[in-house]
Amino acid sequence: MLAQYSFSPQFMLLSNITQFSPMFYLTSFPGLEANKHWIFIPFFFMYMVAISGNCFILIIIKTNPRLHTPMYYLLSLLALTDLGLSVSTLPTTMGIFWFNSHSIYFGACQIQMFCIHSFSFMESSVLLIMSFDRFVAICHPLRYSVIVTGQRMVRAGLIVIFRGPVATIPIVLLLKAFPYCGSVVLFHSFCLHQEVIQLACTDTTFNNLYGLMVVVFTVMLDLVLIALSYGFILHTVAALASPEEQCRAFQTCTAHLCAVLVFFVPMVGLSLVHRFGKHAPPAIHLLMANVYLFVPPMLNPIIYSIKTKEIRRAIIKFLGLKKVSSEFWG
């Protein structure tokens, strides 16, 4: 596999300076280097939509006083995490496309994987808190303003901000202590812990077990709690008198439910592929990682702009399209 890549003399020199701080080579699209310019187009489009869309959501919420409520503060936090996730992969991915720069220092690789995994855990936490917000709004509507207060949102936001980085720091720092030998090729356009740890030529049992525990007690636990929240929501909606009331109540959850599926399905798939599909073709790992990191930040602003009436109205008002909106949306 390595024979097909032509490393520059500078890269070979830097990667051999010390086995503890190698220079990694990001391939991004093994076997498709000749079509790199065509592959650039969808990636550039996804970055443009993700960054501009999430920035636009933040601007809409900030400039519209009617959206200064806990639900939309959480949506702002989701947009910020999506923005952070997109920016985390931007330097190396665009560096490969624009400057044909495939090499990355070990320290820079650590920083990038720290940002990617931290923002991923943060997004999982935000989606969990948003599910709790929807649970209270539907199951206990009369107590919503008492339970979901600004002070509690601030505390929840702080937990979201710190939980991801605190869980990620140990496994990222421990990579510095491992020697790396043989292949220094990474098959993505960014650094992931699951891939870098496989290049270490020593026992990595602790990192593997710690990484698995972090995933189980953060992402998987969040997913279970979100599923429980929706179980209670469905039970409450089913008990409503008329189908119209049921439909109206559940419509308030559709945007969040779409965001949950868009985020967790690729993430669980990527984790399973890395844990149990070590002999799977590199294209499978590459596809799952790209879908997991690029698709949710792109789709979330689109989902909330279409499915959330208040956001839709605020966007139309911001763009000065009131007359068009009344005819189009009714």
Side-chain angles (χ1 to χ4, degrees), residues 56 60 311-322 324:
F56 193 58
I60 289 295
I311 292 289
R312 194 167 65 231
R313 287 176 176 172
I315 291 174
I316 292 169
K317 182 180 178 181
F318 183 82
L319 297 175
L321 300 174
K322 279 189 175 180
V324 177

Side-chain angles (χ1 to χ4, degrees), residues 3 16 19 41 45 58-59 70 85 89 118 126 155 163 174 200 231-232 247 252:
N16 290 326
Q19 62 174 345
I41 296 174
F45 174 76
L58 291 171
I59 293 170
L85 201 56
T89 59
S118 293
V126 174
R155 291 175 182 172
R163 190 181 77 154
L174 280 174
F232 288 116
C247 182
T252 63

Side-chain angles (χ1 to χ4, degrees), residues 152-182:
R152 285 176 178 167
M153 283 298 102
V154 171
R155 291 175 182 172
L158 290 175
I159 292 173
V160 166
I161 290 171
F162 288 108
R163 190 181 77 154
V166 168
T168 307
I169 284 175
I171 55 174
V172 172
L173 291 180
L174 280 174
L175 291 174
K176 187 75 174 177
F178 296 146
Y180 298 87
C181 50

Side-chain angles (χ1 to χ4, degrees), residues 296-326:
M298 178 188 69
L299 288 184
N300 282 341
I302 297 174
I303 291 170
Y304 276 93
S305 298
I306 294 174
K307 290 293 186 180
T308 309
K309 185 183 295 185
E310 290 78 8
I311 292 289
R312 194 167 65 231
R313 287 176 176 172
I315 291 174
I316 292 169
K317 182 180 178 181
F318 183 82
L319 297 175
L321 300 174
K322 279 189 175 180
K323 293 183 180 179
V324 177
S325 70
S326 60

Side-chain angles (χ1 to χ4, degrees), residues 5-231:
Y5 303 110
S6 56
F7 301 114
S8 65
Q10 293 87 351
F11 173 82
M12 296 302 295
L13 175 63
L14 288 170
S15 63
N16 290 326
I17 288 176
T18 169
Q19 62 174 345
F20 290 95
S21 296
M23 173 80 82
F24 291 119
Y25 186 91
L26 303 171
T27 58
S28 71
F29 303 99
L32 298 174
E33 287 79 4
N35 301 317
K36 188 169 65 176
H37 298 294
W38 292 106
I39 298 172
F40 165 76
I41 296 174
F43 273 83
F44 182 76
F45 174 76
M46 286 190 288
Y47 273 122
M48 286 294 294
V49 173
I51 293 174
S52 60
N54 285 295
C55 286
F56 193 58
I57 290 290
L58 291 171
I59 293 170
I60 289 295
I61 294 175
K62 180 176 175 59
T63 57
N64 194 321
R66 294 181 63 183
L67 300 181
H68 293 177
T69 61
M71 175 182 171
Y72 294 103
Y73 289 147
L74 291 173
L75 180 56
S76 298
L77 197 54
L78 181 66
L80 283 172
T81 56
D82 280 334
L83 202 56
L85 201 56
S86 296
V87 173
S88 297
T89 59
L90 181 65
T92 52
T93 304
M94 290 297 104
I96 291 172
F97 283 123
W98 284 344
F99 307 109
N100 199 33
S101 174
H102 291 267
S103 56
I104 182 171
Y105 286 101
F106 183 79
C109 187
Q110 280 184 297
I111 293 172
Q112 185 179 53
M113 76 173 70
F114 170 77
C115 293
I116 289 173
H117 293 299
S118 293
F119 282 117
S120 296
F121 293 143
M122 286 170 64
E123 181 148 351
S124 174
S125 302
V126 174
L127 291 172
L128 172 61
I129 297 172
M130 292 176 83
S131 72
F132 176 75
D133 174 80
R134 293 298 83 207
F135 162 73
V136 176
I138 292 176
C139 299
H140 305 283
L142 299 179
R143 300 177 58 197
Y144 179 83
S145 59
V146 177
I147 297 174
V148 184
T149 62
Q151 188 177 14
R152 285 176 178 167
M153 283 298 102
V154 171
R155 291 175 182 172
L158 290 175
I159 292 173
V160 166
I161 290 171
F162 288 108
R163 190 181 77 154
V166 168
T168 307
I169 284 175
I171 55 174
V172 172
L173 291 180
L174 280 174
L175 291 174
K176 187 75 174 177
F178 296 146
Y180 298 87
C181 50
S183 168
V184 287
V185 173
L186 301 176
F187 294 103
H188 298 92
S189 58
F190 40 81
C191 293
L192 291 176
H193 175 268
Q194 301 97 309
E195 189 175 18
V196 173
I197 195 67
Q198 294 178 9
L199 303 181
C201 49
T202 187
D203 182 27
T204 59
T205 302
F206 176 79
N207 256 44
N208 291 328
L209 290 177
Y210 181 84
L212 181 61
M213 287 177 59
V214 168
V215 171
V216 169
F217 288 103
T218 55
V219 177
M220 299 307 294
L221 180 60
D222 291 349
L223 185 56
V224 169
L225 294 176
I226 289 172
L228 285 175
S229 297
Y230 273 98

Side-chain angles (χ1 to χ4, degrees), residues 263-330:
F263 176 75
F264 280 102
V265 170
M267 188 177 206
V268 172
L270 179 64
S271 298
L272 291 175
V273 166
H274 274 290
R275 299 291 173 187
F276 306 109
K278 294 182 180 180
H279 300 292
I284 300 297
H285 293 261
L286 185 65
L287 176 65
M288 293 302 299
N290 286 332
V291 169
Y292 156 57
L293 289 177
F294 293 113
V295 172
M298 178 188 69
L299 288 184
N300 282 341
I302 297 174
I303 291 170
Y304 276 93
S305 298
I306 294 174
K307 290 293 186 180
T308 309
K309 185 183 295 185
E310 290 78 8
I311 292 289
R312 194 167 65 231
R313 287 176 176 172
I315 291 174
I316 292 169
K317 182 180 178 181
F318 183 82
L319 297 175
L321 300 174
K322 279 189 175 180
K323 293 183 180 179
V324 177
S325 70
S326 60
E327 296 176 2
F328 187 78
W329 299 108

